[in-house]
């Protein structure tokens, strides 16, 4: 059981790497195989256009991986920078950032992402931008709290006394110490971004056909749940396993980086 999340994660990465090599098979329409059940030649059956579900899953894995890591990297970069600057500067800068964070937190994140995706239009890049625009807030708040607790430390005061500028203090002395909680938060953010991307694709605001996404696969399979339940079961199971594995690894990383837990 300890290695199961790693196996799921490796399978996800392998499927994402294999995605570009199976794109032609994943998009090839084969009318005689429409809604074909799982069989030796089709391990997970075929969809409503006769396309193999297994190849579609591999192609969709690349989409979820790109969105998950793209959203988290962009959100961490923006959130850590803004939160770090606000916590270190204090005063009206910190007050303004807190108010901006409060405004973003007042809106349900997924509804704001849906609105932004609708304004920007469908597409992988727009999905990443829409989700990052609502995800940076958590990282900014966390980075601000960490910097506020660290900016009065002796090594920071010593660096300031030696003439180090604000940029150098943030880059060398504050943000590296705040990296551990941000990394832990980022692992959970990957799982949230994967689920959010599936939700946007389910609503038709994500990647567009013929590109594959687990959310769009579930949407297309809903109309055939009684006659071909594998169309929903396969991408739904893949989505559940990936999110569960990432969350479990995030819990383990948090316990590993927690000094109190490590001492026990």
């Amino acid at each position: 059981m300890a290695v199961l999340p790693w196996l799921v994660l490796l399978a996800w990465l392998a499927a994402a790497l294999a995605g570009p090599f199976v794109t032609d098979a994943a998009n090839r329409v084969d009318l005689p195989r429409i809604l074909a059940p799982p069989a030796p030649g089709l391990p997970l059956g075929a969809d409503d256009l006769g396309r193999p579900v297994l190849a579609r899953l591999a192609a969709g894995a690349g989409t979820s991986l790109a969105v998950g890591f793209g959203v988290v990297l962009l959100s961490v970069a923006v959130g850590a920078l803004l939160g770090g600057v606000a916590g270190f500067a204090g005063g009206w800068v910190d007050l303004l950032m807190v108010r901006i964070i409060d405004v973003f937190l007042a809106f349900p994140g997924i509804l704001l992402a849906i609105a932004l995706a609708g304004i920007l239009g469908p597409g992988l890049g727009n999905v990443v931008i829409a989700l990052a625009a609502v995800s940076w807030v958590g990282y900014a708040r966390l980075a601000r709290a960490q910097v506020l607790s660290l900016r009065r430390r002796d090594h920071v005061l010593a660096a300031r006394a030696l003439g180090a500028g604000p940029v150098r203090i943030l880059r060398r002395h504050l943000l590296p110490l705040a990296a551990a909680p941000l990394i832990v938060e980022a692992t959970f953010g990957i799982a949230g971004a994967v689920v959010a991307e599936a939700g946007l694709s389910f609503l038709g605001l994500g990647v567009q056909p013929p590109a594959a996404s687990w959310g769009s696969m579930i949407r297309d399979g809903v109309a055939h749940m009684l006659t071909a339940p594998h169309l929903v079961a396969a991408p739904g199971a893949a989505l559940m396993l990936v999110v569960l594995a990432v969350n479990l690894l995030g819990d383990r990383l948090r316990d590993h980086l927690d000094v109190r837990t490590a001492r026990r």
Side-chain angles (χ1 to χ4, degrees):
M1 294 297 295
V3 301
L4 184 59
W6 288 107
L7 293 178
V8 173
L9 186 61
L10 289 175
W12 182 34
L13 295 175
L17 293 175
F21 300 100
V22 299
T23 300
D24 293 338
N27 297 332
R28 186 180 302 117
V29 176
D30 191 351
L31 298 182
R33 299 196 304 184
I34 288 180
L35 301 181
L42 290 171
L44 295 178
D47 64 3
D48 55 346
L49 293 177
R51 299 171 297 188
V53 174
L54 182 60
R56 300 284 294 173
L57 277 182
T63 300
S64 62
L65 185 70
V67 171
F69 282 90
V71 169
V72 166
L73 290 176
L74 186 58
S75 300
V76 170
V78 174
L81 177 61
L82 295 180
V85 170
F88 182 73
W92 67 268
V93 177
D94 185 40
L95 181 61
L96 177 62
M97 182 56 58
V98 169
R99 294 295 174 262
I100 294 175
I101 291 175
D102 290 339
V103 170
F104 272 86
L105 292 177
F107 293 93
I110 188 63
L111 294 182
L112 186 57
I114 290 173
L116 290 175
I119 294 173
L120 296 174
L124 185 61
N126 291 340
V127 168
V128 172
I129 295 174
L131 293 179
V134 300
S135 301
W136 68 270
V137 180
Y139 302 103
R141 185 170 59 173
L142 181 58
R144 173 184 173 271
Q146 292 294 316
V147 170
L148 283 174
S149 66
L150 294 170
R151 67 177 183 174
R152 297 299 181 186
R153 295 284 181 89
D154 291 341
H155 70 283
V156 177
L157 298 177
R160 183 176 295 176
L162 291 173
V167 175
R168 181 178 177 83
I169 292 175
L170 271 174
R171 182 172 57 89
R172 296 291 299 273
H173 302 287
L174 290 177
L175 290 181
L177 294 179
L182 288 174
I183 292 173
V184 173
E185 184 69 18
T187 58
F188 297 109
I190 293 174
V194 170
V195 173
E197 183 276 327
L200 292 178
S201 295
F202 184 87
L203 296 175
L205 298 174
V207 296
Q208 297 300 293
S213 169
W214 292 344
S216 60
M217 291 176 66
I218 295 175
R219 178 196 63 203
D220 296 338
V222 166
H224 308 284
M225 284 189 63
L226 296 180
T227 56
H230 61 278
L231 299 185
V232 175
L239 184 63
M240 181 198 70
L241 289 174
V242 165
V243 172
L244 180 62
V246 173
N247 283 332
L248 289 176
L249 293 176
D251 285 334
R252 293 179 185 177
L253 181 60
R254 179 190 58 195
D255 294 339
H256 178 72
L257 296 177
D258 191 344
V259 177
R260 293 167 298 179
T261 304
R263 287 178 179 177
R264 289 199 296 265

